[in-house]
Amino acid sequence: MAAVLNAIGFDIRELNFHASTVVDQDGETIFFKARRDSGPLSIDIARDVVNSSAALTIINDYYGTDNIVLNIARKICLPIEVVLKQAFVARFHRDNHDVTFICAKPSVFAPEKLKLHVDSVDWVFYGHSVQLWRVLQHATTALMRGIWHSVKPYLKKPRYSVNMDNSKPSVLLLEEDDPHYSLDKRSMFDWHIGQENINFNTVLWRHLNQNTTITDIEKMNERDIFALEMSQFATFSPTARVTPKLKQIRAHQWRLIFEIFHSSPQKFWMMINVIFLLGLTKKVICATDRLNIKAVLIKEFYFNHSDACIMASALSDISVFGRQYSSLMMKSPIMMGNCHSFFMFSDHFRTTFSLADPPSYTPIVAGYPTTHNNTTLRTRANAQRQRFAKAGVSFVIGGFDEAIEYNKWGLISPQAHIRELEELLQFIEANPETGVAVKTQFMSSLPSKVYPDNKLIKRLMKTGQYIELAQGSHRNIISPAEAALSSDICIGHKFGATASLEAALCGTRSLLLDPFAGKSLQDKIYQQAEIVYPSMASAVAAIQHLRANPVSTIGDWSNIIDQLSSQDDRSSLIVDTLNSTVARSG
């Protein structure tokens, strides 16, 4: 497009910047500033949409307060973040240039509140006909996706049959990780493993990929865990079409359909999504009746399935529990859930996952999952230690790697990533008695795959000073605890920090890098310890000081750990709570 405009007489030049290095007027990089501000804005805009629609207002109130508001906010939060990043870049260059911010009019939300939020920028929107086409495109995409997800389960044969005793109460489990029943890897069943008095079936609702073997299924079945694929879940719908619950949902769907044709373009797209959300809610209600489901345990709230379960609880005798898995840097509607109760690491996170304050759910402090306290995992870590020892390595650094993003609007660019990694690896190469164990969050971010020709990585792999701990398809299911127990000290990032918290709970020193000037909900806690460093170079210097002064408190979380996670043995708390819930439900 720039080449075409330049050819007809315009002077188009692309700004050279990266969202992680442009600092906004309040001292924070625009990546974090846009992400932080997009949350409250998406909630405000979603609430305006709901309040301006009679049908959406009724549905939002009927299925639990603000479930529809939260669902819409999740859908528009990232598009709002994208526009805010662009506006903040324009504001950054305003001081040196006469800047007019020209952008396409958003097709999925009204932009007026964004203009008020960044009122120091001269906004100009373009594309009325283009906007209409984009709205129709979004609406059509949502419609086709909804139809496809409704039809697809009937076209795909389940890989495994489910033979469970439906007279026994069940708990429905929603998680993203690959299902396997093992303590030596990242597992969705960390709360379940080792518990003997479990009085319910556990039903796992998800797509099963090729990483799930018949051995995994048999091991789960032995513990009354049954993986229910989408194709099996869909078949429950026709069995209860005439019940009052299903009639009520269908009535709400028709109410939306009647209103949708005289709504604004943005509201049109949102209503289509809610119509299909109600359809998914019907499937949940039918499944709860057929499988005797009494409770739902949700780890990831950003999927429609989670909202459907919460909405179904308004019509069924089921309790919905949320479960924390991340030390969030900031609040975001993408991670919030209007469930009944929420298992969290510590009281510090009481309101982090709630739309309201005080929280709409009952907080239950369950602590961080205690998977790092098992013999199997420690045996694997000892094997890594022995592997390093054979290479002459006596001091190991664990590296927690975050996802790489391949555009200038992301956080970690490949250039910044390899620069930071090589600073560490150069230290390792210069000190033959040191080594590094890298554990990435995603399989796609493994340095050996991202940089297959990097000579420094190759040399250190050859000497045995560099290893990668990785297994899985999408997420790396190797536990951060394995890297921590294999290491003398770990290095992570402040904007992630969950893996570093797990390392600290293992008793391993852990440093947090903060090269992007990001503000965290945990900053006041972090300031009470020597754990945050602005760069890899400063972290490496701190490690050198620690090696020379072993009594130093560098990387020591012992005086703050209780604020971030209960250290009491609460491994049975989730099971005990679910047992009492299903018992009350009869």
Side-chain angles (χ1 to χ4, degrees), residues 509 542-554:
R509 295 175 186 254
I543 290 173
Q544 289 176 305
H545 178 78
L546 174 64
R547 295 184 70 199
N549 303 274
V551 296
S552 168
T553 57
I554 290 173

Side-chain angles (χ1 to χ4, degrees), residues 72-91:
I72 293 174
R74 289 195 191 101
K75 297 289 190 302
I76 63 176
C77 187
L78 291 180
I80 288 174
E81 179 184 326
V82 169
V83 178
L84 283 179
K85 286 178 185 176
Q86 297 168 350
F88 290 151
V89 169
R91 183 166 69 183

